[in-house]
Amino acid sequence: GTDIYPLFKENLSRFADRVAPHKGDLLQYVWTGGPIEILFIDAAKSPELMLHIANDLFPSLIPGAFVIQQDWVSYGTPWIQIAMGLLAEFFEIMDSPEGGTVCFRVKRRIPSRVLASGYFMDPRAAEFLDKAADSLSARHGLFVRLGEAHYWILRGDRQRSLVIWKLVQGHREYVPEIHGFDVVRVGELLGLKPL
């Protein structure tokens, strides 16, 4: 019951002539398909996956291509904002529709091995997370602030995370019905219940 490939094929059957699925471990996958015009990313679920995507796929993006980051507006993937912050010279934000997705346009060709393996520990990480939160409406930015709280948990700074977590819940744009799931998840990581 854990293999979703048959469901994937069934759900995309109307578009089967335009979709070439590749089942396997993304960390082992090497892109050989040529230039990329649109890259929709819903697989950057860990710092390692984001690193692999940036270093394996981004160099094939053509100038003017679009990169759609599915999990931008989320507590769970702070490495995405950090990676894109480090690579900001190559991208411009195009759109941020309602929901978790942000679209970027490629400004210029991206070199190979563009992201260093230790990117997640970059001393400018908090700056990139701040900038990402500020680029969204306050309501959506709170999700990225929770991502920053998650980041500090991963870095071992529980106190800094706790301050951010409490600030989010006290923000005038905080809505428990909207932000509650992410607040609960970060609270669980902190071993706390929402305020």
Side-chain angles (χ1 to χ4, degrees), residues 45-62:
K45 306 296 189 195
S46 71
E48 296 78 20
L49 282 164
M50 185 66 239
L51 176 68
H52 181 72
I53 290 165
N55 286 338
D56 186 58
L57 297 170
F58 283 10
S60 294
L61 291 164
I62 61 172

Side-chain angles (χ1 to χ4, degrees), residues 53-122:
I53 290 165
N55 286 338
D56 186 58
L57 297 170
F58 283 10
S60 294
L61 291 164
I62 61 172
F66 294 101
V67 172
I68 300 105
Q69 287 280 11
Q70 167 64 25
D71 294 312
W72 186 267
V73 183
S74 169
Y75 85 92
T77 53
W79 42 85
I80 294 174
Q81 291 90 357
I82 295 167
M84 296 303 282
L86 286 163
L87 303 177
E89 67 185 280
F90 301 104
F91 295 98
E92 63 181 324
I93 292 180
M94 295 303 296
D95 190 18
S96 176
E98 293 296 314
T101 305
V102 172
C103 179
F104 297 84
R105 188 177 71 79
V106 178
K107 295 193 296 190
R108 61 186 179 91
R109 185 82 52 196
I110 300 168
S112 61
R113 312 302 301 166
V114 69
L115 201 57
S117 61
Y119 80 96
F120 190 59
M121 305 298 270
D122 191 282

